[in-house]
Amino acid sequence: MESSKPNSRETPNRTDGTGYYVYCIADSLAAQEIVQGPVPNAIEENVALELITRNSLTAVVSVVPLSEFGEDALESRLADATWTAIHAMRHEQVVEHFASRTSVVPLRFGTIYLDSAGIEQMLGENEKKLSEIVERLRGRVEWGVNIYCNRQTLMDNITNLSPRLRQMREEAKEASPGQAYLLQKKIETQRADEAKVEIARAVDDIEQVLNQHSDGSTKLRILKVETTEHGELKAKFAFLVLKAEFESFRDAAEELAQTMEQSGIRIELTGPWPAYNFASD
Amino acid sequence: MVGSDVELSDEAELSLLETLDHVLNKGLVIAGEITISVADVDLIFLSLNVLVSSVEKANEVLRERARGNLAELKSSHDTAESQ
């Protein structure tokens, strides 16, 4: 299922005509029921969402112009951050709409077929695998956990609590100016080391505790160094949480947050997300 | 999206970045006839970081996001991107 491109019946470099943008894949009956009600906008304005069904699986799709979503056109569109952000948000709105009503396999942004036959073929060829993912994700959502560290609070806390640092400070007080200077340098290094250890331990604790309330977790890469009023982002996780277990998951996160607050560690939950991070096999 | 007790501006910006991270970077990669390559995704991220630090553009996208509200979606079909 990985991304080698199939032999196209037509060349993807076409810039005329239309293709199909695919958002997510769901159980056919559930998808048909959802579109009986109101549904969000498609990725292109003034275009309706459509369903393409093959047996038990249905792809949620919409028509897109190849003048924008054709291979070459898309590449240049993607360079426009605003265009990309807006279209990515619309992708998300559609996936969220379906994910909040049934179990879906969310697809990554930018999966386009030239015709509906290609989608039917994909559904048929991957039926077993896709059905397995739909079942694995059923009744579950993804929660993001961001861990921030306020360095100043953490440093102060370490200075007050570490026996080793307290001892070094006592020594520095009684030392000659030259020695005191060197000791002060050592204290700084020691503090930085202990801070690192403390952050790593907090991150491990959070991961372990929350794992007990989830059906899986994955550590995510940090996009950029984010420094907020709560400190610097130190780690990001995604947890797959049974909807019925969310209360206990949140309670556990809150308890951790309370315990760690005084050492400058802050926990933030984001979600519920469609299970993007758990959609691959 | 829940952003516990973060301030609104932070929450909005965070939610935007978080959402883009999910949509662009994760999700099942399936062999479409046209698919964004992995190299493209990294390029997108470079430009998105610039985007997010630009308040004006971020706001523009967030208004788009606000339209996610279904009631609004139905009525304000063509307001946001018409400039």
Side-chain angles (χ1 to χ4, degrees), chain A residues 42-85:
Chain A
I43 198 160
E44 285 289 282
E45 302 202 64
N46 304 315
V47 171
L49 292 179
E50 293 177 39
L51 301 182
I52 292 180
T53 294
R54 166 126 180 193
N55 303 333
S56 63
L57 291 175
T58 288
V60 179
V61 308
S62 69
V63 170
V64 287
L66 291 179
S67 58
E68 282 200 60
F69 289 85
E71 193 125 65
D72 295 337
L74 188 59
E75 207 171 298
S76 56
R77 291 291 180 172
L78 291 171
D80 177 350
T82 307
W83 187 94
T84 303

Side-chain angles (χ1 to χ4, degrees), chain B residues 3-23:
Chain B
S4 34
D5 48 325
V6 207
E7 272 183 31
L8 187 67
S9 58
D10 272 353
E11 183 181 351
E13 186 170 302
L14 191 70
S15 162
L16 172 65
L17 246 197
E18 295 274 358
T19 304
L20 295 171
D21 185 27
H22 280 87
V23 174

Side-chain angles (χ1 to χ4, degrees), chain A residues 45-46 114 146 269 277, chain B residues 2 14 16 18 26 33 77:
Chain A
E45 302 202 64
N46 304 315
L114 295 174
N146 296 337
L269 294 186
N277 283 294
Chain B
V2 174
L14 191 70
L16 172 65
E18 295 274 358
K26 308 287 156 37
E33 281 151 341
H77 209 67

Side-chain angles (χ1 to χ4, degrees), chain B residues 12-76:
Chain B
E13 186 170 302
L14 191 70
S15 162
L16 172 65
L17 246 197
E18 295 274 358
T19 304
L20 295 171
D21 185 27
H22 280 87
V23 174
L24 295 175
N25 228 349
K26 308 287 156 37
L28 185 65
V29 176
I30 214 164
E33 281 151 341
I34 299 163
T35 344
I36 298 175
S37 74
V38 175
D40 285 337
V41 170
D42 284 342
L43 279 179
I44 295 170
F45 265 109
L46 286 177
S47 49
L48 284 175
N49 280 342
V50 177
L51 168 74
V52 170
S53 57
S54 145
V55 176
E56 200 188 320
K57 282 194 175 178
N59 281 339
E60 185 182 327
V61 176
L62 288 164
R63 278 199 300 276
E64 185 71 19
R65 170 95 179 133
R67 295 168 71 217
N69 181 322
L70 264 187
E72 249 190 324
L73 259 179
K74 290 181 76 183
S75 55
S76 66

Side-chain angles (χ1 to χ4, degrees), chain A residues 12 30 48 70 75 86 92 109-110 120 151 181 185 197 221 274:
Chain A
E75 207 171 298
I86 288 172
E92 168 67 9
F109 180 77
E120 283 172 34
R151 194 161 178 82
Y181 174 80
K185 285 279 172 201
V197 171
R221 71 166 175 167

